[in-house]
Amino acid sequence: MPELIPQPRYARFLPDGGTVELTDPLLDTGPGTGGAARWLRRELGAATGWELPAPVRGGEHGARPVIRLALRPDIARGTGAESYELHVAPGLVLLEGADEAGLFYAAQTLRQLLGPGAFRRAPLPGAVWRLPVGDLLDGPRFGWRGLMLDVARHFLPKDGVLRYIDLLAAHKLNVLHLHLTDDQGWRMEVKRYPRLTEVGSWRARSRWGHRASPLWRETPHGGFYTQDDLREIVAYAAERHVRVVPEIDVPGHSQAAIAAYPELGNADVVDTAALGVWDDWGVNENVLAPTEAVLRFYEGVFEELLEVFPAEVSPFVHVGGDECPKTQWKASALAQERIRELGVDGEDGLQSWFIRHFDGWLAERGRRLIGWDEILEGGLAPGAAVSSWRGYAGGVAAAGAGHDVVMCPEQQVYLDHRQAAGEDEPVPIGYVRSLEDVYRFEPVPPELSEEAAAHVLGAQANVWTEVMEDQSRVDYQVFPRLAAFAEVVWSRLPEPGERDYAGFDARMTAHYRRLDALGVDYRPPGGPLPRQRRPGLLGRPIEGAPPNV
Ligand code: ACM
C-alpha cells in the first residue's frame, strides 16, 4: 500500500509491490482537463524532465506509456464533489475527476505515487519513475479544508503566499484564509486610501518574543500586497482549486488603520493622531469609532476588496469581529449617543450593529459574511457564517441556530501553539499540541444533531505569527502538523475515534521525504534543529496544561 497522505478512501494495489516503469509518457487530455494538464506539465515536467506531449491522433504511440485525463461527472454520485479515480496499468495511467478539482487531486495523488523525487524542481541524475499497479477511488469528507495565515503580524512576501498555496494543494486543502489587517499592520493596497499602506503597513520595531519578553527587534518591519499581487494570488489559487478568504478585521484589531486615518478611532477619548502602528502583541483597546463615517470608509475598502477577490474564488468575505474591547466605547460620549440613537443593547449591541451592517452590505453584492465567533454576541446577522475559535461552543450554538460553521478551536488547531513540552521549542506558546493531538482533532462534536452537523462546512488550522518572524518559523509551526490536519478534513473514517495514529505515523516517513524535496522547514520528529531554536526568547506557555490535555 503506497504511503499516501491524506489517506485515500479506497485503494487496491497489487500485492508484492507490483510496479510499472514510466518513461517519457504522453499526456492525453480530454475535454475540460486543461487545468490539470497545465499543472502536470509544469510540476511533473520540472521534476522528471518529461515534456508530456499530446499523442498524435491516429498516430503510433510506439512503446510510450500514456497518462490520460478525463472528467467523469458520474463519479460524484458515489463520492461527492472533488472526488476522483486513479488507475495504473502497464502502459496506461488513467486519471478521472468527478469535476476539475477532483481531477487536480488525482494529479496530486499521482505525484505522491511517483515518490519524493517528483516533488523536486529538477530531476536527479539517473532518476527512474515507477508507479504501483492498482486502482484508487477517493473523495473528501469536508468541502472547507483550510489554513489561515496571519500575514499582518509578520508580513509574508507574495512568493511565500504562492508557495503556501502549492503546499495546501499538495495536501488536498482548498481554503486559504488571509488575515490581511491587524493592529500591527495593514497589508492590502486600497487605492482610495493610500495611507493605509503608506503608513499602516510599517512599524518601527517589534517586540522580540511574546508579551512578557523584555527584548525588542529595533528593525522596521512591514510590507503589503498591491492589488495586482492579490489578483495574481487569487488566480494562482483558483488554478489550484484553492478558494481565498480575505479578512479585514473590524471593529477591533484596527490600530494600523487608525494610525493611517486617525478619524477612524475614538478621538473623543484618546489622542488618535498620536497613535502609530502597534509594535506590541496582545489585545488592543484602540478600536474603530461606531460612526456612519467609519462605515462609509470601510464600504470603500470592501468595494475595492470585492473587485480584487471575485465571487468565484472568494464567495466568503471575513470581517473579523474578534477581541473588540469595549473600554473606549464605554468612555466615549459619542459612542454612548450612538447606542441611544440606534436603540441597541449597549456596547455589545454596537458591535452587532457593525457586523450586521456588513452582512447586509455583502449579501446585496452576492457575498457571504464570515466572522470569528464573537459575532454571535449581541445577535448574529441572518446570513452570517462563523469561524469557531474559542473552542467548539460558538460553532455548536451557531450550527444549532442554522448558521454555517467552520471549526477552528484554538485548543486543537492553533498552530502557533507549541508542538512539544521540551525547553528547546522556539518561543513556546499555549498548550502542547503534538502531531498526534492534531491527528485526533474531530471537527464535528458529538453533541450536534445530524441537522446541525450538516452546517459544519469543515475546518481550518490557524497560524498567528506574532512570534514567527519569517517563512522558516511559519514552516516550523505548520509542518508536519498540517499533514495530520489534512487527513482529518479529507479522509472519511468508518467511525469517529477510529483514527489509526500508528498507521499515519508510519506513512509520515514517506511524507517527510516529500517535505524535504519541497524544501519545507518542518519540525523534525526528534525536535528542533539548532538553528530552529530561539534560546532566551520568552513565549507564553500555558502551564498546568499537560501534554495531550
Ligand atoms: C482570534 O484568535 N483572535 C480569532
Side-chain angles (χ1 to χ4, degrees):
M1 174 77 183
E3 297 162 306
L4 297 170
I5 287 185
Q7 176 92 302
R9 195 168 306 185
Y10 169 84
R12 193 189 56 196
F13 288 91
L14 281 185
D16 312 324
T19 60
V20 288
E21 194 174 317
L22 209 58
T23 307
D24 236 352
L26 303 167
L27 186 63
D28 186 7
T29 57
T33 66
R38 263 194 306 283
W39 183 84
L40 282 167
R41 288 203 171 98
R42 175 181 164 136
E43 298 296 332
L44 282 195
T48 61
W50 298 336
E51 285 183 17
L52 293 166
V56 179
R57 296 282 158 209
E60 267 301 311
H61 294 164
R64 287 178 81 170
V66 176
I67 300 175
R68 182 168 298 145
L69 308 182
L71 291 186
R72 257 190 55 204
D74 64 291
I75 293 177
R77 280 206 293 274
T79 35
E82 305 181 87
S83 54
Y84 67 90
E85 291 185 16
L86 192 157
H87 305 280
V88 180
L92 180 66
V93 179
L94 182 58
L95 275 56
E96 297 178 310
D99 45 33
E100 289 185 43
L103 184 65
F104 178 70
Y105 295 130
Q108 289 284 357
T109 297
L110 173 64
R111 181 166 64 161
Q112 289 203 6
L113 291 173
L114 282 167
F119 289 78
R120 293 186 182 273
R121 291 188 205 165
L124 304 182
V128 174
W129 304 100
R130 296 193 152 277
L131 284 176
V133 174
D135 304 290
L136 205 144
L137 168 62
D138 198 10
R141 177 175 175 201
F142 292 106
W144 186 301
R145 307 180 298 278
L147 178 73
M148 187 216 74
L149 282 180
D150 167 13
V151 293
R153 269 50 174 272
H154 280 101
F155 180 57
L156 184 65
K158 182 193 75 178
D159 272 3
V161 178
L162 298 176
R163 174 177 173 272
Y164 258 88
I165 290 168
D166 279 321
L167 292 173
L168 292 185
H171 291 82
K172 300 189 172 76
L173 298 174
N174 67 349
V175 174
L176 174 65
H177 171 172
L178 282 178
H179 182 74
L180 288 166
T181 69
D182 215 302
D183 300 302
Q184 298 86 354
W186 183 284
R187 306 286 173 228
M188 173 185 157
E189 177 190 29
V190 179
K191 303 245 192 229
R192 73 189 79 177
Y193 308 127
R195 286 174 59 82
L196 284 174
T197 46
E198 285 167 11
V199 173
S201 79
W202 298 101
R203 60 177 184 263
R205 62 173 193 168
S206 309
R207 191 182 285 282
W208 185 216
H210 209 267
R211 282 196 295 283
S213 167
L215 305 175
W216 294 87
R217 286 210 327 160
E218 299 287 349
T219 322
H221 178 84
F224 65 92
Y225 311 109
T226 66
Q227 294 195 354
D228 281 347
D229 289 341
L230 292 168
R231 288 189 183 95
E232 180 187 356
I233 286 169
V234 161
Y236 194 85
E239 181 88 359
R240 286 153 185 78
H241 300 278
V242 171
R243 281 175 283 154
V244 182
V245 179
E247 179 185 353
I248 302 289
D249 204 341
V250 296
H253 288 282
S254 296
Q255 186 167 320
I258 298 168
Y261 292 96
E263 63 272 26
L264 297 174
N266 294 288
D268 62 338
V269 290
V270 282
D271 180 7
T272 55
L275 290 175
V277 175
W278 206 25
D279 54 13
D280 210 347
W281 315 127
V283 176
N284 186 313
E285 293 189 347
N286 292 306
V287 306
L288 298 177
T291 65
E292 291 295 326
V294 168
L295 292 188
R296 297 293 89 72
F297 182 98
Y298 274 85
E299 285 172 3
V301 170
F302 282 114
E303 267 173 26
E304 294 193 24
L305 180 135
L306 294 194
E307 201 266 311
V308 171
F309 295 90
E312 311 80 67
V313 182
S314 304
F316 283 91
V317 172
H318 208 292
V319 300
D322 58 323
E323 298 176 322
C324 179
K326 307 298 185 305
T327 341
Q328 292 185 354
W329 290 352
K330 284 198 173 90
S332 159
L334 198 143
Q336 292 303 312
E337 180 54 30
R338 286 300 280 160
I339 290 172
R340 278 187 294 277
E341 254 171 49
L342 295 166
V344 297
D345 187 12
E347 293 80 23
D348 279 348
L350 271 187
Q351 154 126 357
S352 176
W353 164 79
F354 224 104
I355 300 297
R356 277 172 186 267
H357 174 79
F358 285 105
D359 184 51
W361 190 92
L362 286 167
E364 281 165 20
R365 287 157 183 81
R367 306 295 179 103
R368 289 189 61 195
L369 176 144
I370 184 162
W372 301 111
D373 57 52
E374 286 94 332
I375 69 171
L376 286 159
E377 291 160 15
L380 186 52
V386 169
S387 308
S388 188
W389 75 276
R390 296 177 297 179
Y392 287 103
V396 168
H403 291 275
D404 286 340
V405 170
V406 174
M407 285 293 185
C408 48
E410 61 173 336
Q411 297 83 352
Q412 274 80 13
V413 286
Y414 266 33
L415 300 185
D416 44 328
H417 285 202
R418 59 195 164 133
Q419 314 189 51
E423 290 286 303
D424 56 1
E425 281 308 305
V427 215
I429 303 292
Y431 302 102
V432 173
R433 286 297 171 258
S434 65
L435 182 64
E436 179 167 358
D437 293 328
V438 172
Y439 191 68
R440 296 196 183 285
F441 165 57
E442 170 49 44
V444 180
E447 64 262 41
L448 283 186
S449 68
E450 206 170 307
E451 191 188 341
H455 285 290
V456 178
L457 301 176
Q460 64 182 42
N462 294 339
V463 186
W464 302 99
T465 59
E466 289 93 332
V467 299
M468 293 166 223
E469 68 278 8
D470 59 24
Q471 177 176 285
S472 277
R473 279 285 295 124
V474 174
D475 275 11
Y476 181 91
Q477 294 301 129
V478 172
F479 292 99
R481 292 183 293 182
L482 196 70
F485 178 79
E487 190 145 314
V488 167
V489 286
W490 177 276
S491 304
R492 201 177 283 267
L493 294 165
E495 295 290 339
E498 278 194 23
R499 288 191 198 284
D500 170 16
Y501 181 70
F504 170 77
D505 196 41
R507 280 179 286 120
M508 277 305 291
T509 306
H511 203 64
Y512 282 117
R513 301 289 77 79
R514 296 178 194 126
L515 297 178
D516 285 332
L518 282 165
V520 173
D521 205 5
Y522 58 83
R523 179 187 188 278
L529 302 173
R531 67 174 167 71
Q532 292 174 318
R533 296 177 194 144
R534 294 290 181 274
L537 265 197
L538 279 183
R540 185 184 55 88
I542 295 179
E543 296 311 338
N548 307 315
V549 279

